[in-house]
Amino acid sequence: MLGYGFRIQKSAFEAVITKKKYNELLQHLPAYAGTEDGIRVYKMTGRGQAVTFGKKRGEETEDLIII
């Protein structure tokens, strides 16, 4: 992640990247997700989008609000 954005916590990163870089990032992330670890990517434009790799949590039915 350090090549795409900056660390804001031990395991949380933030990035402002182009659409091309975003798609490149999504292609590379699955290699780093294991059966016990999960990676979540929140795209914060328009209605937003969340992409999960690796271990998935239970089905989420409520709207997600990030503050």
Side-chain angles (χ1 to χ4, degrees):
M1 283 298 305
L2 291 175
Y4 295 92
F6 57 93
R7 186 183 303 269
I8 57 172
Q9 289 184 354
K10 182 177 179 181
S11 61
F13 293 82
E14 183 175 315
V16 177
I17 55 178
T18 64
K19 189 173 188 174
K20 180 179 178 180
K21 277 288 207 185
Y22 174 74
N23 290 328
E24 179 184 299
L25 173 64
L26 292 182
Q27 289 178 357
H28 287 94
L29 284 178
Y32 297 99
T35 57
E36 296 297 319
D37 296 320
I39 299 171
R40 300 197 81 176
V41 177
Y42 296 94
K43 184 177 178 182
M44 308 302 284
T45 62
R47 292 191 57 166
Q49 174 185 358
V51 179
T52 304
F53 302 99
K55 184 177 181 180
K56 297 187 186 330
R57 297 189 300 192
E59 194 67 33
E60 295 179 16
T61 57
E62 296 182 25
D63 289 337
L64 177 65
I65 300 173
I66 300 173
I67 300 175

